Coordinates of all heavy atoms in Angstrom, one line a residue:
M119 N -56.6 9.5 -24.1 CA -55.5 9.1 -23.3 C -56.1 8.7 -22.0 O -56.9 9.3 -21.4 CB -54.5 10.2 -23.2 CG -53.5 9.9 -22.2 SD -52.4 11.3 -21.8 CE -51.3 11.3 -23.3
L120 N -55.6 7.5 -21.5 CA -56.0 7.1 -20.2 C -55.1 7.7 -19.1 O -53.9 7.9 -19.4 CB -55.8 5.5 -20.1 CG -56.8 4.7 -20.9 CD1 -56.4 3.3 -20.8 CD2 -58.2 4.9 -20.5
R121 N -55.7 8.1 -18.0 CA -55.0 8.7 -16.9 C -55.3 8.0 -15.6 O -56.4 7.4 -15.5 CB -55.4 10.2 -16.7 CG -55.0 11.0 -17.8 CD -53.6 11.5 -17.7 NE -53.3 12.6 -18.6 CZ -52.2 13.4 -18.6 NH1 -51.4 13.2 -17.6 NH2 -52.0 14.3 -19.5
S122 N -54.5 8.0 -14.7 CA -54.7 7.4 -13.4 C -55.2 8.5 -12.4 O -55.0 9.7 -12.6 CB -53.3 7.0 -12.8 OG -53.5 6.6 -11.5
V123 N -56.0 8.0 -11.4 CA -56.5 9.0 -10.4 C -55.3 9.7 -9.8 O -55.4 10.8 -9.4 CB -57.3 8.2 -9.4 CG1 -57.6 9.0 -8.1 CG2 -58.6 7.6 -10.0
R124 N -54.2 9.0 -9.6 CA -53.0 9.7 -9.1 C -52.6 10.9 -9.8 O -52.0 11.8 -9.3 CB -51.8 8.7 -9.1 CG -51.9 7.7 -7.9 CD -50.8 6.8 -7.9 NE -51.4 5.5 -8.4 CZ -50.7 4.5 -8.8 NH1 -49.4 4.5 -9.0 NH2 -51.3 3.4 -9.2
D125 N -52.9 11.0 -11.1 CA -52.6 12.2 -11.9 C -53.3 13.4 -11.4 O -52.9 14.5 -11.7 CB -52.9 12.0 -13.4 CG -52.0 10.9 -14.0 OD1 -50.9 10.7 -13.5 OD2 -52.4 10.3 -15.0
L126 N -54.5 13.2 -10.8 CA -55.3 14.3 -10.3 C -54.9 14.8 -8.9 O -55.1 16.0 -8.6 CB -56.8 13.9 -10.2 CG -57.5 13.5 -11.5 CD1 -58.9 13.0 -11.2 CD2 -57.5 14.7 -12.4
M127 N -54.3 13.9 -8.1 CA -53.9 14.3 -6.8 C -52.9 15.4 -6.8 O -51.9 15.3 -7.6 CB -53.5 13.1 -6.0 CG -54.5 11.9 -5.9 SD -56.1 12.4 -5.3 CE -55.8 12.7 -3.7
E128 N -53.1 16.4 -5.9 CA -52.2 17.5 -5.8 C -52.2 18.5 -6.9 O -51.4 19.4 -6.9 CB -50.7 17.0 -5.5 CG -50.6 16.2 -4.2 CD -50.9 17.0 -3.0 OE1 -50.5 18.2 -2.9 OE2 -51.6 16.5 -2.1
C129 N -53.1 18.3 -7.9 CA -53.3 19.3 -8.9 C -53.9 20.6 -8.2 O -54.8 20.4 -7.4 CB -54.3 18.8 -10.0 SG -53.5 17.7 -11.2
R130 N -53.5 21.7 -8.7 CA -54.0 23.0 -8.2 C -55.4 23.2 -8.8 O -55.6 23.1 -10.0 CB -53.1 24.1 -8.5 CG -53.6 25.4 -7.9 CD -52.5 26.4 -7.8 NE -51.3 26.0 -7.0 CZ -51.2 26.0 -5.7 NH1 -52.3 26.3 -5.0 NH2 -50.2 25.6 -5.1
V131 N -56.4 23.5 -8.0 CA -57.8 23.8 -8.4 C -57.9 25.3 -8.5 O -57.8 26.0 -7.5 CB -58.8 23.2 -7.4 CG1 -60.2 23.4 -7.9 CG2 -58.6 21.7 -7.3
M132 N -58.2 25.7 -9.8 CA -58.4 27.1 -10.1 C -59.8 27.6 -10.4 O -60.4 26.9 -11.2 CB -57.4 27.5 -11.3 CG -55.9 27.1 -11.1 SD -55.1 27.9 -9.8 CE -55.2 29.6 -10.4
T133 N -60.2 28.7 -9.8 CA -61.5 29.3 -10.1 C -61.2 30.5 -11.0 O -60.1 30.7 -11.3 CB -62.2 29.7 -8.8 OG1 -61.5 30.8 -8.2 CG2 -62.5 28.6 -7.8
T134 N -62.3 31.2 -11.3 CA -62.1 32.4 -12.1 C -61.5 33.5 -11.3 O -61.0 34.4 -12.0 CB -63.5 32.8 -12.7 OG1 -64.3 33.1 -11.7 CG2 -64.1 31.8 -13.7
N135 N -61.4 33.4 -10.1 CA -60.8 34.4 -9.2 C -59.7 33.9 -8.3 O -59.4 34.5 -7.3 CB -61.9 35.2 -8.4 CG -62.5 34.3 -7.4 OD1 -62.6 33.1 -7.6 ND2 -63.1 34.9 -6.4
G136 N -59.0 32.8 -8.8 CA -57.8 32.4 -7.9 C -57.9 30.9 -7.6 O -58.7 30.2 -8.2
S137 N -56.9 30.5 -6.8 CA -56.8 29.1 -6.4 C -57.6 28.7 -5.2 O -57.7 29.5 -4.2 CB -55.3 28.8 -6.1 OG -55.1 27.5 -5.6
V138 N -58.2 27.6 -5.2 CA -59.0 27.0 -4.1 C -58.0 26.2 -3.3 O -58.2 26.0 -2.0 CB -60.1 26.1 -4.6 CG1 -60.8 25.5 -3.5 CG2 -61.1 27.0 -5.5
G139 N -57.0 25.6 -3.8 CA -56.1 24.7 -3.2 C -55.7 23.6 -4.1 O -55.8 23.7 -5.3
K140 N -55.3 22.5 -3.5 CA -54.9 21.3 -4.3 C -55.9 20.1 -4.1 O -56.5 20.0 -3.0 CB -53.5 20.9 -4.0 CG -52.5 21.9 -4.3 CD -51.1 21.4 -4.0 CE -50.1 22.4 -4.4 NZ -48.7 22.0 -4.1
V141 N -56.0 19.2 -5.1 CA -56.9 18.1 -4.9 C -56.3 17.2 -3.9 O -55.1 16.8 -3.9 CB -57.0 17.3 -6.3 CG1 -57.8 16.0 -6.1 CG2 -57.6 18.2 -7.4
R142 N -57.1 16.9 -2.9 CA -56.7 16.1 -1.7 C -57.4 14.7 -1.7 O -56.9 13.7 -1.1 CB -56.9 16.8 -0.4 CG -56.2 18.1 -0.3 CD -54.7 17.9 -0.2 NE -54.2 19.2 0.3 CZ -53.0 19.6 -0.1 NH1 -52.2 18.9 -0.9 NH2 -52.5 20.7 0.3
D143 N -58.6 14.7 -2.3 CA -59.3 13.4 -2.2 C -60.4 13.5 -3.4 O -60.6 14.5 -4.0 CB -60.1 13.3 -0.9 CG -60.4 11.9 -0.5 OD1 -60.2 11.0 -1.3 OD2 -60.8 11.7 0.6
L144 N -61.0 12.3 -3.7 CA -61.9 12.1 -4.7 C -63.1 11.3 -4.1 O -62.8 10.4 -3.3 CB -61.4 11.5 -5.9 CG -60.2 12.2 -6.6 CD1 -59.5 11.2 -7.6 CD2 -60.7 13.4 -7.3
F145 N -64.3 11.6 -4.5 CA -65.5 10.8 -4.1 C -66.1 10.2 -5.4 O -66.2 10.8 -6.4 CB -66.5 11.6 -3.3 CG -66.2 11.9 -2.0 CD1 -65.3 12.9 -1.6 CD2 -66.7 11.1 -0.9 CE1 -64.9 13.2 -0.3 CE2 -66.4 11.4 0.4 CZ -65.5 12.4 0.7
F146 N -66.5 8.9 -5.3 CA -67.0 8.1 -6.4 C -68.4 7.7 -6.1 O -68.8 7.5 -5.0 CB -66.2 6.9 -6.6 CG -64.8 7.1 -7.0 CD1 -63.8 7.4 -6.1 CD2 -64.5 7.1 -8.4 CE1 -62.5 7.6 -6.5 CE2 -63.1 7.3 -8.8 CZ -62.2 7.5 -7.9
D147 N -69.2 7.6 -7.2 CA -70.6 7.1 -7.1 C -70.5 5.6 -7.0 O -69.8 4.9 -7.8 CB -71.3 7.5 -8.3 CG -72.8 7.0 -8.3 OD1 -73.0 5.8 -8.3 OD2 -73.7 7.9 -8.3
D148 N -71.1 5.0 -5.9 CA -71.0 3.5 -5.7 C -71.5 2.7 -6.9 O -71.0 1.7 -7.2 CB -71.9 3.1 -4.5 CG -71.3 3.6 -3.2 OD1 -70.1 4.1 -3.2 OD2 -72.0 3.5 -2.2
R149 N -72.6 3.2 -7.6 CA -73.2 2.4 -8.6 C -72.4 2.5 -10.0 O -72.3 1.6 -10.7 CB -74.6 2.8 -8.9 CG -75.5 2.5 -7.7 CD -76.9 3.1 -7.8 NE -76.8 4.5 -7.6 CZ -77.4 5.5 -8.3 NH1 -78.3 5.2 -9.2 NH2 -77.2 6.7 -8.0
T150 N -72.0 3.7 -10.3 CA -71.4 4.0 -11.6 C -69.8 3.9 -11.6 O -69.2 3.7 -12.6 CB -71.8 5.3 -12.2 OG1 -71.2 6.4 -11.4 CG2 -73.3 5.4 -12.3
G151 N -69.2 4.1 -10.4 CA -67.8 4.2 -10.3 C -67.2 5.5 -10.9 O -66.0 5.6 -10.9
K152 N -68.1 6.4 -11.2 CA -67.6 7.7 -11.7 C -67.2 8.7 -10.5 O -67.9 8.7 -9.5 CB -68.6 8.4 -12.7 CG -68.8 7.6 -13.9 CD -69.8 8.3 -14.8 CE -70.0 7.5 -16.0 NZ -71.1 8.1 -16.9
I153 N -66.3 9.5 -10.8 CA -66.0 10.6 -9.8 C -67.1 11.5 -9.8 O -67.6 12.0 -10.8 CB -64.7 11.4 -10.2 CG1 -63.5 10.4 -10.2 CG2 -64.5 12.5 -9.3 CD1 -62.2 11.0 -10.8
T154 N -67.6 11.9 -8.5 CA -68.7 12.8 -8.4 C -68.2 14.1 -7.7 O -68.8 15.2 -8.0 CB -69.8 12.2 -7.5 OG1 -69.3 11.8 -6.3 CG2 -70.5 11.1 -8.2
F155 N -67.2 14.1 -6.9 CA -66.7 15.3 -6.2 C -65.2 15.3 -6.1 O -64.6 14.2 -6.0 CB -67.2 15.4 -4.7 CG -68.7 15.7 -4.6 CD1 -69.6 14.7 -4.5 CD2 -69.1 17.0 -4.5 CE1 -70.9 15.0 -4.4 CE2 -70.4 17.3 -4.4 CZ -71.4 16.3 -4.3
L156 N -64.6 16.4 -6.2 CA -63.2 16.6 -5.9 C -63.2 17.3 -4.5 O -64.0 18.1 -4.2 CB -62.5 17.6 -6.8 CG -62.5 17.3 -8.3 CD1 -61.9 18.5 -9.1 CD2 -61.7 16.0 -8.6
V157 N -62.2 17.0 -3.7 CA -62.0 17.7 -2.4 C -60.7 18.4 -2.6 O -59.6 17.9 -2.8 CB -61.9 16.7 -1.2 CG1 -61.6 17.5 0.0 CG2 -63.2 15.9 -1.1
A158 N -60.8 19.8 -2.5 CA -59.6 20.6 -2.6 C -59.4 21.2 -1.2 O -60.2 21.5 -0.5 CB -60.0 21.8 -3.5
G159 N -58.1 21.3 -0.9 CA -57.7 21.8 0.4 C -56.5 22.6 0.3 O -55.6 22.5 -0.6
K160 N -56.4 23.6 1.2 CA -55.1 24.4 1.3 C -54.8 24.7 2.8 O -55.8 24.7 3.6 CB -55.2 25.6 0.5 CG -56.2 26.7 0.8 CD -56.0 27.8 -0.1 CE -57.2 28.8 0.0 NZ -57.0 29.9 -1.0
G161 N -53.6 24.9 3.0 CA -53.2 25.1 4.4 C -52.2 24.0 4.9 O -51.9 23.1 4.1
N162 N -51.9 24.0 6.1 CA -51.0 23.1 6.7 C -51.7 21.8 7.2 O -52.9 21.9 7.5 CB -50.2 23.7 7.9 CG -49.3 24.8 7.4 OD1 -48.7 24.8 6.4 ND2 -49.3 25.9 8.2
I163 N -51.1 20.7 7.2 CA -51.7 19.5 7.7 C -52.2 19.7 9.2 O -51.5 20.3 10.0 CB -50.7 18.3 7.7 CG1 -50.3 18.0 6.3 CG2 -51.2 17.1 8.4 CD1 -49.2 17.0 6.1
G164 N -53.4 19.3 9.4 CA -54.1 19.5 10.7 C -54.8 20.9 10.8 O -55.7 21.0 11.6
E165 N -54.4 21.8 10.0 CA -55.1 23.1 9.9 C -55.7 23.4 8.5 O -56.0 24.6 8.2 CB -54.1 24.2 10.3 CG -53.5 24.0 11.6 CD -52.4 25.1 11.9 OE1 -52.1 25.9 11.0 OE2 -51.7 24.9 12.9
E166 N -55.8 22.4 7.8 CA -56.2 22.5 6.4 C -57.7 22.8 6.2 O -58.5 22.3 6.9 CB -55.9 21.3 5.6 CG -56.1 21.4 4.1 CD -55.6 20.2 3.4 OE1 -56.2 19.1 3.5 OE2 -54.5 20.3 2.7
E167 N -58.1 23.8 5.4 CA -59.4 24.0 5.0 C -59.8 23.3 3.7 O -59.0 23.3 2.8 CB -59.6 25.5 4.7 CG -59.5 26.4 6.0 CD -59.8 27.8 5.6 OE1 -60.6 28.1 4.8 OE2 -59.1 28.7 6.3
S168 N -60.8 22.6 3.7 CA -61.2 21.7 2.6 C -62.6 22.1 2.1 O -63.4 22.6 2.8 CB -61.2 20.2 2.9 OG -59.9 19.8 3.3
V169 N -62.8 21.9 0.8 CA -64.1 22.1 0.1 C -64.4 21.0 -0.9 O -63.5 20.6 -1.6 CB -64.2 23.5 -0.5 CG1 -63.1 23.7 -1.6 CG2 -65.5 23.9 -1.0
M170 N -65.6 20.6 -0.8 CA -66.0 19.5 -1.8 C -66.6 20.2 -3.0 O -67.5 21.1 -2.9 CB -67.1 18.6 -1.2 CG -66.6 17.7 -0.2 SD -67.9 16.6 0.5 CE -68.2 15.5 -0.9
I171 N -66.1 19.9 -4.2 CA -66.5 20.5 -5.4 C -67.2 19.5 -6.3 O -66.6 18.5 -6.7 CB -65.3 21.1 -6.1 CG1 -64.6 22.1 -5.3 CG2 -65.6 21.7 -7.5 CD1 -63.2 22.6 -5.7
P172 N -68.4 19.7 -6.8 CA -69.1 18.7 -7.6 C -68.4 18.7 -9.0 O -68.0 19.8 -9.5 CB -70.5 19.3 -7.7 CG -70.5 20.7 -7.2 CD -69.3 20.9 -6.4
L173 N -68.3 17.5 -9.6 CA -67.6 17.4 -10.8 C -68.1 18.2 -11.9 O -67.3 18.7 -12.7 CB -67.6 15.9 -11.2 CG -66.5 15.6 -12.3 CD1 -65.1 15.9 -11.8 CD2 -66.6 14.2 -12.7
P174 N -69.5 18.5 -12.1 CA -69.9 19.3 -13.1 C -69.4 20.8 -13.1 O -69.6 21.5 -14.0 CB -71.5 19.3 -12.9 CG -71.8 18.0 -12.3 CD -70.6 17.8 -11.3
A175 N -68.8 21.2 -11.9 CA -68.3 22.5 -11.8 C -66.9 22.7 -12.5 O -66.4 23.7 -12.7 CB -68.1 22.9 -10.4
V176 N -66.3 21.5 -12.9 CA -65.0 21.5 -13.6 C -65.2 21.8 -15.0 O -66.0 21.2 -15.7 CB -64.4 20.1 -13.4 CG1 -63.1 20.0 -14.2 CG2 -64.1 19.8 -11.9
S177 N -64.5 22.8 -15.5 CA -64.6 23.2 -16.9 C -63.5 22.7 -17.7 O -63.6 22.6 -19.0 CB -64.6 24.7 -17.0 OG -63.4 25.3 -16.6
G178 N -62.4 22.2 -17.1 CA -61.3 21.6 -17.9 C -60.1 21.4 -17.0 O -60.1 21.6 -15.8
S179 N -59.1 20.8 -17.6 CA -57.9 20.5 -16.9 C -56.7 20.6 -17.8 O -56.8 20.6 -19.0 CB -57.9 19.1 -16.4 OG -58.0 18.1 -17.5
D180 N -55.6 20.8 -17.2 CA -54.3 20.9 -17.8 C -53.4 20.1 -16.9 O -52.6 20.6 -16.1 CB -53.8 22.3 -18.0 CG -52.4 22.4 -18.6 OD1 -51.8 21.4 -18.9 OD2 -51.9 23.6 -18.9
L181 N -53.4 18.8 -17.1 CA -52.7 17.9 -16.2 C -51.1 18.0 -16.4 O -50.4 17.7 -15.4 CB -53.2 16.4 -16.4 CG -54.6 16.2 -16.0 CD1 -55.0 14.8 -16.2 CD2 -54.9 16.7 -14.6
D182 N -50.7 18.4 -17.5 CA -49.3 18.6 -17.7 C -48.7 19.7 -16.8 O -47.6 19.7 -16.3 CB -48.9 18.9 -19.2 CG -49.2 17.7 -20.1 OD1 -49.1 16.6 -19.6 OD2 -49.5 17.9 -21.3
N183 N -49.6 20.7 -16.6 CA -49.2 21.8 -15.7 C -49.9 21.7 -14.3 O -49.9 22.6 -13.5 CB -49.6 23.2 -16.3 CG -48.7 23.4 -17.5 OD1 -47.5 23.4 -17.4 ND2 -49.3 23.8 -18.6
R184 N -50.5 20.5 -14.1 CA -51.1 20.2 -12.7 C -52.2 21.1 -12.3 O -52.2 21.6 -11.2 CB -50.0 20.0 -11.7 CG -48.7 19.3 -12.0 CD -48.8 17.8 -12.0 NE -49.1 17.4 -10.7 CZ -49.9 16.3 -10.5 NH1 -50.4 15.6 -11.5 NH2 -50.2 15.9 -9.2
Q185 N -53.1 21.4 -13.2 CA -54.2 22.3 -12.9 C -55.5 21.8 -13.3 O -55.7 21.1 -14.4 CB -54.0 23.7 -13.6 CG -52.9 24.5 -13.0 CD -52.9 25.9 -13.6 OE1 -53.7 26.3 -14.5 NE2 -52.1 26.8 -13.0
I186 N -56.6 22.0 -12.5 CA -58.0 21.7 -12.7 C -58.7 23.1 -12.7 O -58.5 23.9 -11.8 CB -58.6 20.8 -11.6 CG1 -57.8 19.5 -11.4 CG2 -60.0 20.6 -11.9 CD1 -57.9 18.6 -12.5
R187 N -59.4 23.4 -13.8 CA -60.1 24.7 -13.9 C -61.6 24.5 -13.6 O -62.2 23.6 -14.1 CB -59.9 25.2 -15.3 CG -58.5 25.7 -15.6 CD -58.4 26.3 -17.0 NE -58.9 25.4 -18.0 CZ -58.1 24.5 -18.6 NH1 -56.9 24.2 -18.2 NH2 -58.7 23.7 -19.6
L188 N -62.1 25.4 -12.8 CA -63.5 25.5 -12.5 C -64.2 26.6 -13.3 O -63.5 27.6 -13.7 CB -63.8 25.7 -11.0 CG -63.1 24.7 -10.1 CD1 -63.4 25.0 -8.6 CD2 -63.5 23.3 -10.4
Q189 N -65.5 26.4 -13.5 CA -66.2 27.3 -14.4 C -66.7 28.6 -13.8 O -67.3 29.5 -14.5 CB -67.4 26.6 -15.0 CG -68.4 26.1 -14.0 CD -69.5 25.3 -14.6 OE1 -70.1 25.8 -15.6 NE2 -69.8 24.1 -14.1
D190 N -66.4 28.9 -12.5 CA -67.0 30.0 -11.8 C -66.1 30.3 -10.6 O -65.2 29.6 -10.3 CB -68.4 29.7 -11.4 CG -69.2 30.9 -11.1 OD1 -68.7 32.1 -11.1 OD2 -70.5 30.8 -10.9
E191 N -66.5 31.4 -9.9 CA -65.9 31.7 -8.6 C -66.3 30.6 -7.6 O -67.4 30.0 -7.8 CB -66.3 33.0 -8.1 CG -65.8 34.2 -9.0 CD -66.2 35.6 -8.4 OE1 -66.9 35.6 -7.4 OE2 -65.9 36.5 -9.1
L192 N -65.6 30.3 -6.6 CA -65.9 29.3 -5.6 C -67.3 29.5 -5.0 O -68.1 28.6 -4.9 CB -64.8 29.2 -4.5 CG -65.0 28.1 -3.5 CD1 -65.1 26.8 -4.2 CD2 -64.0 28.2 -2.5
E193 N -67.6 30.8 -4.7 CA -68.9 31.1 -4.0 C -70.0 30.7 -4.9 O -71.0 30.2 -4.5 CB -68.9 32.6 -3.6 CG -67.9 33.0 -2.6 CD -66.5 33.1 -3.1 OE1 -66.3 33.3 -4.3 OE2 -65.6 33.0 -2.2
G194 N -69.9 31.0 -6.2 CA -70.9 30.6 -7.2 C -71.1 29.1 -7.3 O -72.2 28.6 -7.4
I195 N -70.0 28.4 -7.2 CA -70.0 26.9 -7.4 C -70.7 26.3 -6.1 O -71.5 25.4 -6.2 CB -68.6 26.4 -7.5 CG1 -68.1 26.7 -8.9 CG2 -68.6 24.9 -7.3 CD1 -66.7 26.5 -9.2
L196 N -70.4 26.9 -4.9 CA -70.9 26.3 -3.7 C -72.4 26.6 -3.6 O -73.1 25.9 -2.8 CB -70.1 26.8 -2.5 CG -68.7 26.4 -2.5 CD1 -68.0 27.0 -1.3 CD2 -68.5 24.9 -2.5
T197 N -72.9 27.6 -4.2 CA -74.3 27.9 -4.0 C -75.2 27.4 -5.1 O -76.4 27.4 -5.1 CB -74.6 29.5 -3.9 OG1 -74.0 30.1 -5.0 CG2 -73.9 30.0 -2.7
R198 N -74.6 26.9 -6.2 CA -75.4 26.4 -7.4 C -75.7 25.0 -7.2 O -75.0 24.2 -6.6 CB -74.5 26.6 -8.6 CG -75.2 26.1 -9.9 CD -74.4 26.3 -11.1 NE -73.8 27.6 -11.2 CZ -72.6 27.9 -11.5 NH1 -71.7 26.9 -11.7 NH2 -72.1 29.1 -11.6
R199 N -76.9 24.6 -7.7 CA -77.3 23.2 -7.7 C -76.9 22.6 -9.0 O -77.2 23.1 -10.1 CB -78.8 23.1 -7.5 CG -79.2 23.5 -6.1 CD -80.6 22.9 -5.9 NE -81.1 23.4 -4.6 CZ -80.9 22.8 -3.4 NH1 -80.1 21.7 -3.4 NH2 -81.4 23.3 -2.3
F200 N -76.3 21.4 -9.0 CA -75.9 20.7 -10.2 C -76.8 19.5 -10.3 O -77.0 18.8 -9.3 CB -74.4 20.3 -10.1 CG -73.5 21.5 -10.1 CD1 -73.0 22.1 -9.0 CD2 -73.0 22.0 -11.4 CE1 -72.2 23.2 -9.0 CE2 -72.2 23.0 -11.4 CZ -71.7 23.6 -10.3
S201 N -77.1 19.1 -11.5 CA -77.9 17.9 -11.7 C -76.9 16.9 -12.3 O -75.9 17.2 -12.9 CB -79.1 18.1 -12.7 OG -78.6 18.6 -13.9
G202 N -77.3 15.6 -12.2 CA -76.5 14.6 -12.8 C -76.1 13.6 -11.8 O -75.4 12.8 -11.8

């Protein structure tokens, strides 16, 4: 099924130990056009904390319920090196 980038925006990003926030932005590779990072943020506008999450950290999604699942706790994802 084809989906729009808009379907990802505002989805809740879930780790194995809770929510990181909602998808606020996406980064693309210039050469391939593929998404490389999700930016998740939570908090109020102007006071929002954001984190860049490499796409290989995503383990799945449930777009009908507006959720993106990550394969680990946030701390593990931020310290791991991803290839690709």
Side-chain angles (χ1 to χ4, degrees):
M119 169 187 284
L120 293 176
R121 294 275 192 168
S122 169
V123 168
R124 281 179 253 162
D125 293 335
L126 297 174
M127 302 308 289
E128 297 297 317
C129 281
R130 186 159 303 283
V131 179
M132 303 297 295
T133 66
T134 57
N135 63 338
S137 174
V138 175
K140 294 182 178 180
V141 176
R142 300 293 192 212
D143 205 353
L144 302 167
F145 283 79
F146 294 84
D147 182 295
D148 289 352
R149 291 172 290 139
T150 65
K152 293 181 181 180
I153 298 171
T154 55
F155 289 92
L156 301 176
V157 177
K160 64 179 167 182
N162 297 321
I163 294 175
E165 300 173 3
E166 187 172 73
E167 293 181 33
S168 297
V169 62
M170 288 182 70
I171 300 166
L173 196 62
V176 175
S177 64
S179 64
D180 180 355
L181 296 181
D182 292 332
N183 289 310
R184 314 281 301 143
Q185 288 189 352
I186 305 289
R187 292 182 303 278
L188 305 182
Q189 58 183 313
D190 199 352
E191 295 180 0
L192 182 60
E193 294 77 20
I195 290 167
L196 295 179
T197 59
R198 183 179 307 133
R199 293 198 184 275
F200 293 91
S201 61

